[in-house]
C-alpha cells in the first residue's frame, strides 16, 4: 500500500513537501519521484544493516501452524500458573484465572530438570530464563525450590528474570531473590495504577520499603531492577510518568514500556485512548525521541528498529512478527512438561506439545500479519509488526486503535529524524486517485 505523506519543516508549515511511501517495500520517493537513499546521508552511512533483508519468512496461521521447537534455546519461559492477587482491568490473563494455586513440589521440579537433560535441551551462552505467573510470588513455595535448581543447573551467569506486581515482596523474599541473582521487574503503571487495583503499593509503607530495599540490594549485587509500564489513558503523558517514579519511588528508578493497552483491555472503555489522549501520547513520544534522543530506552529500540527498516529498505514480508514466542529458540513450558503458546496463556488450555517430543510441537493459535488484510494496508506496519499473533481477528480489531496511536507516534518521530520534517498527513494513494 502506497501512502502520500505531506510534511513540513518546523516553523515553516506553509512550505509543505510531499513524499510517497510504500509500506510493503519500505521505499520512499521525494516530490520529484526520486528514490530516497538515506545511506547517502552521512548521519546514516554507517548505520547497521538489517539481518532481515535477505531472509525468507514462512507464513503461519491456524491452517499452516508453526511446527517444532529447538533444543538450543535463547529464552526458556517457565509458566508457574495463572493465579494472581490482582484483577487488572486490561490484563490479558483475566479470562484464564482458575481460582486455584497448584504448587509444584521438589519432586516435580527435579523431574522437570531430568527431562530437560534427557532431551538435550540447553541454553545458548547468552540465553535466559524467565519466570511467569499469574503473579509469580503467589507461587513462592515453588520458587524456593526452583531457583536454587536453576542456578545449580545453569550456573550463576545465566540471566534469570521475573515480572511481578511486587505487592507480595518482603525484605526476606528480596534477600532470597538476590542470593539467586534474579532480575526483578515490577509491573506498575505510575499515575495509571488505578486500572490495576484500588490501592497503589507505593502508598503502602511496608511494600514501598521492600521495593526500595530491592533497588538497593539489586544495585549492590549488580543485578537490574526496574518497572514495566503499560501505557493507558491514565499515563499518556510520559514526562509526568517519569516524574511519578522519580518522586514517588526513587530518582534512580528505571522503567520501560511493555506497550499500549491491548488485548482484553481494549474492549474496556476505560482503556481506550480518546483523541485528546492520543495527541498527548503522540506529543510525548515525539519529545522523548527527538529532544531527549537516547534517553528513553524502550522507545529508542523501537525507533531504531523502524529506522533499520526504512534506511535499509527492508521489505515488510521479511518481518516475521512482534512476539518472540513464535521463534523456535524461544519456548514456554510449565513444570509438568507441557509446552504452551505464550506466557500469558495457561499451558493446560493452550498446550501445543510436550518437551519430550519437541519435533511434534504444533502451534495452531498464531496468525502472522500477512494473513490479516488490515495489517498489510497499515501505514505503521513496520513499527507495529501486526500486534500480538495470538489475537483473533475480532480481538485485533479492538486492539488496533490503541496500537495505531502508539506506533504512529513512533513512526512520526522516526520520520522527523530521517527527513527533518513533521508529518502533516498520510493518506493511501487509492484514496487520492
Amino acid at each position: 500500500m502506497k501512502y502520500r505523506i505531506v510534511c513540513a519543516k518546523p516553523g515553516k508549515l506553509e512550505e509543505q513537501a510531499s513524499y510517497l511511501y510504500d509500506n510493503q517495500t519500505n521505499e520512499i520517493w521525494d516530490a520529484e519521484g526520486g528514490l530516497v537513499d538515506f545511506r547517502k546521508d552521512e548521519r546514516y552511512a554507517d548505520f547497521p544493516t538489517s539481518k532481515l533483508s535477505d531472509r525468507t519468512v514462512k507464513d503461519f496461521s491456524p491452517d499452516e501452524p508453526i511446527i517444532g521447537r529447538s533444543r538450543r534455546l535463547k529464552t526458556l519461559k517457565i509458566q508457574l500458573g495463572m493465579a494472581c492477587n490482582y484483577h487488572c482491568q486490561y490484563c490479558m490473563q483475566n479470562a484464564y484465572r482458575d481460582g486455584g494455586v497448584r504448587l509444584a513440589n521438589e519432586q516435580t521440579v527435579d523431574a522437570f530438570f531430568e527431562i530437560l537433560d534427557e532431551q538435550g535441551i540447553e541454553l545458548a551462552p547468552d540465553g535466559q530464563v524467565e519466570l511467569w505467573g499469574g503473579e509469580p510470588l503467589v507461587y513462592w513455595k515453588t520458587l524456593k525450590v526452583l531457583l536454587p535448581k536453576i542456578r545449580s543447573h545453569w550456573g550463576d551467569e545465566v540471566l534469570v528474570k521475573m515480572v511481578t506486581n511486587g505487592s507480595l515482596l518482603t525484605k526476606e523474599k528480596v534477600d532470597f531473590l538476590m542470593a539467586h541473582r534474579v532480575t526483578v521487574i515490577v509491573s506498575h503503571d505510575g499515575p495509571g495504577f488505578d486500572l490495576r487495583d484500588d490501592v497503589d503499593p507505593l502508598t503502602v509503607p511496608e511494600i514501598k520499603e521492600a521495593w526500595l530495599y530491592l533497588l538497593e540490594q539489586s544495585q549492590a549485587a549488580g543485578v537490574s531492577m526496574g518497572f514495566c509500564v503499560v501505557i493507558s489513558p491514565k499515563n499518556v503523558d510520559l514526562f509526568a510518568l517519569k516524574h511519578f517514579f522519580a518522586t514517588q519511588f526513587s530518582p534512580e528508578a528505571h522503567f520501560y514500556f511493555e506497550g499500549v493497552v491491548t488485548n482484553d483491555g481494549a474492549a474496556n472503555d476505560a482503556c481506550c485512548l480518546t483523541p485528546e489522549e492520543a495527541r498527548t501520547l503522540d506529543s510525548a513520544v515525539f519529545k522523548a525521541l527527538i529532544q531527549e534522543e537516547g534517553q528513553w530506552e524502550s522507545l529508542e529500540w523501537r525507533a531504531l528498529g523502524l529506522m533499520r527498516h526504512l534506511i535499509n529498505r527492508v521489505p515488510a514480508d521479511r518481518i516475521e512478527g512482534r512476539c518472540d514466542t513464535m521463534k523456535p529458540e524461544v519456548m514456554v513450558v510449565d513444570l509438568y512438561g507441557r509446552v504452551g503458546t505464550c506466557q500469558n496463556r495457561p499451558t493446560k488450555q493452550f498446550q501445543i506439545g510436550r518437551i519430550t517430543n519437541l519435533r511434534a510441537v504444533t502451534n495452531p493459535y498464531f496468525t502472522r500479519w500477512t494473513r490479516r488484510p488490515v495489517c498489510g494496508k497499515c501505514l505503521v506496519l513496520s513499527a507495529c509488526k501486526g500486534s500480538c499473533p495470538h489475537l483473533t481477528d475480532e480481538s485485533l480489531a479492538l486492539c488496533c486503535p490503541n496500537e495505531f496511536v502508539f506506533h504512529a507516534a513512533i513512526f512520526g518521530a522516526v520520520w522527523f529524524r530521517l527527513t527533518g520534517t513533521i508529518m502533516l498527513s498520510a493518506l493511501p494513494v487509492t484514496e487520492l486517485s
Side-chain angles (χ1 to χ4, degrees):
M1 172 73 75
K2 288 186 173 65
Y3 281 83
R4 179 70 63 188
I5 296 178
V6 177
C7 48
K9 291 186 179 296
K12 298 182 178 179
L13 297 184
E14 70 283 355
E15 300 178 16
Q16 297 181 1
S18 177
Y19 289 86
L20 190 65
Y21 167 62
D22 189 324
N23 78 332
Q24 291 295 315
T25 64
N26 277 313
E27 294 173 309
I28 299 171
W29 295 268
D30 60 25
E32 287 72 41
L35 183 63
V36 177
D37 186 356
F38 293 110
R39 285 282 175 190
K40 293 181 179 179
D41 187 324
E42 61 181 12
R43 296 174 300 166
Y44 306 116
D46 298 323
F47 197 83
T49 57
S50 175
K51 296 179 180 179
L52 303 179
S53 299
D54 299 322
R55 74 171 186 169
T56 300
V57 179
K58 187 179 185 299
D59 269 355
F60 52 83
S61 67
D63 294 330
E64 296 184 51
I66 299 171
I67 298 176
R69 277 294 183 269
S70 173
R71 284 184 167 77
R72 185 175 176 82
L73 299 175
K74 174 75 173 179
T75 304
L76 177 65
K77 303 187 181 192
I78 301 177
Q79 170 54 255
L80 301 173
M82 288 285 112
C84 185
N85 59 321
Y86 275 1
H87 299 282
C88 306
Q89 290 188 41
Y90 60 75
C91 183
M92 66 185 72
Q93 296 183 358
N94 281 337
Y96 309 111
R97 304 283 185 226
D98 54 17
V101 181
R102 183 184 182 187
L103 297 173
N105 56 29
E106 187 168 6
Q107 290 73 28
T108 300
V109 174
D110 284 340
F112 171 74
F113 282 100
E114 287 175 7
I115 294 173
L116 293 182
D117 286 340
E118 290 171 0
Q119 298 301 314
I121 297 172
E122 59 182 8
L123 287 177
D126 58 345
Q128 65 183 32
V129 178
E130 298 178 3
L131 304 173
W132 290 89
E135 167 49 50
L137 294 179
V138 168
Y139 298 87
W140 184 248
K141 290 183 179 179
T142 297
L143 290 172
K144 291 276 284 185
V145 174
L146 178 60
L147 281 169
K149 293 185 183 296
I150 287 175
R151 285 304 178 200
S152 64
H153 194 83
W154 283 302
D156 291 337
E157 299 308 312
V158 166
L159 178 62
V160 179
K161 296 167 61 176
M162 181 179 73
V163 178
T164 170
N165 63 44
S167 63
L168 301 177
L169 276 174
T170 63
K171 288 187 176 181
E172 292 73 21
K173 288 177 179 175
V174 169
D175 287 338
F176 180 81
L177 293 169
M178 290 303 99
H180 295 88
R181 299 184 58 78
V182 178
T183 293
V184 178
I185 301 167
V186 178
S187 183
H188 192 293
D189 297 339
F193 190 84
D194 61 358
L195 288 176
R196 298 169 59 85
D197 194 71
D198 295 333
V199 179
D200 182 346
L202 284 173
T203 65
V204 181
E206 57 267 31
I207 298 178
K208 182 176 180 179
E209 184 179 351
W211 290 10
L212 289 168
Y213 183 69
L214 171 64
L215 175 62
E216 172 191 301
Q217 295 303 306
S218 293
Q219 291 173 335
V223 175
S224 298
M225 178 265 170
F227 291 94
C228 173
V229 176
V230 175
I231 297 173
S232 75
K234 301 293 186 73
N235 60 12
V236 287
D237 185 341
L238 305 186
F239 292 87
L241 180 65
K242 185 177 183 179
H243 179 75
F244 176 92
F245 284 118
T247 57
Q248 302 302 310
F249 181 65
S250 167
E252 301 176 66
H254 172 75
F255 66 93
Y256 73 94
F257 302 113
E258 181 179 339
V260 67
V261 169
T262 56
N263 294 301
D264 295 338
N268 183 336
D269 288 342
C271 297
C272 297
L273 299 176
T274 65
E276 181 179 355
E277 290 158 352
R279 286 191 293 271
T280 299
L281 178 59
D282 183 81
S283 176
V285 169
F286 188 90
K287 181 180 177 181
L289 286 173
I290 301 306
Q291 297 183 17
E292 298 187 359
E293 184 173 348
Q295 297 182 37
W296 294 74
E297 181 183 347
S298 58
L299 290 179
E300 192 67 32
W301 68 258
R302 288 176 166 93
L304 290 174
L306 179 57
M307 289 174 70
R308 277 194 292 273
H309 283 98
L310 297 179
I311 291 171
N312 296 301
R313 300 198 289 269
V314 178
D317 63 9
R318 304 292 197 274
I319 301 172
E320 190 170 27
R322 189 195 304 174
C323 181
D324 63 349
T325 56
M326 65 184 68
K327 300 176 181 178
E329 66 273 17
V330 177
M331 187 160 63
V332 179
V333 300
D334 64 18
L335 293 172
Y336 305 94
R338 291 181 287 241
V339 179
T341 57
C342 167
Q343 67 271 13
N344 288 309
R345 302 293 196 282
T347 50
K348 187 175 182 180
Q349 185 174 342
F350 291 91
Q351 179 178 339
I352 58 175
R354 298 194 66 86
I355 56 179
T356 51
N357 190 6
L358 294 183
R359 289 184 179 180
V361 169
T362 304
N363 183 353
Y365 296 98
F366 280 11
T367 301
R368 190 179 174 217
W369 69 265
T370 49
R371 300 300 182 91
R372 303 187 193 273
V374 66
C375 291
K377 299 176 181 178
C378 183
L379 172 71
V380 299
L381 168 61
S382 289
C384 177
K385 301 177 183 177
S387 190
C388 169
H390 215 306
L391 296 177
T392 63
D393 289 342
E394 294 76 16
S395 294
L396 181 66
L398 294 173
C399 296
C400 270
N402 280 2
E403 289 273 26
F404 183 84
V405 168
F406 181 51
H407 291 99
I410 294 170
F411 191 97
V414 165
W415 185 269
F416 183 83
R417 282 189 183 181
L418 294 175
T419 69
T421 63
I422 297 172
M423 292 178 57
L424 303 178
S425 65
L427 293 175
V429 171
T430 52
E431 292 188 13
L432 301 172
S433 57

